[in-house]
């Protein structure tokens, strides 16, 4: 997650409260999703951005996870995500995201 997006997440969390924030990711690989998820839950593991040492514990999901997919209008999901979903290893992404939530999410 780039430094600008880290700052946005931190600012929104400060403004609205961590309990009111859900981060939805869309990276194409489980490892990339996991790194971004770790950043918004446990803090920036690269020690380079505004979330270095900041454990927000935010709820974080990938757009392909059932919890998010079920909340999105089916036509919109079909148009915006379904093509990408066909080439992703969705099970690996779900496993990575679940692991991060179990370890670091506070909400």
């Amino acid at each position: 997650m780039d430094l600008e997006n880290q700052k946005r997440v931190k600012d929104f969390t400060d403004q609205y409260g961590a309990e009111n924030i859900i981060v939805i990711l869309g990276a194409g690989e489980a490892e990339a999703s996991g790194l971004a998820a770790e950043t918004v839950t446990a803090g920036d593991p690269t020690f380079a951005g505004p979330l270095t040492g900041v454990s927000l514990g935010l709820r974080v999901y990938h757009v392909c996870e059932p919890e998010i997919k079920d909340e999105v209008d089916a036509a919109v999901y079909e148009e915006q995500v379904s093509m990408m979903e066909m080439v992703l290893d969705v099970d690996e992404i779900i496993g990575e995201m679940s692991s991060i939530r179990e370890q670091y999410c506070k909400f």
Side-chain angles (χ1 to χ4, degrees), residues 9 24 28-29 37 48 64 77 84 92 101:
V9 169
I24 301 174
E29 296 178 355
C64 292
Y77 193 90
M84 191 65 186
E92 184 179 8
R101 283 193 299 272

Side-chain angles (χ1 to χ4, degrees), residues 1 21-27 32-34 36-38 40-41 57-72 93-94 96-102 105 107:
M1 176 174 285
I21 302 292
I22 297 175
V23 177
I24 301 174
L25 304 172
S33 295
E38 185 176 345
V40 300
T41 56
L58 300 178
R59 288 172 287 189
V60 60
Y61 294 89
H62 192 279
V63 70
C64 292
E65 289 188 89
E67 295 89 341
I68 301 303
K69 187 176 181 178
D70 292 346
E71 294 298 320
V72 177
I93 290 170
I94 290 172
E96 182 73 15
M97 299 302 290
S98 296
S99 174
I100 295 294
R101 283 193 299 272
E102 288 171 10
C105 283
F107 305 97

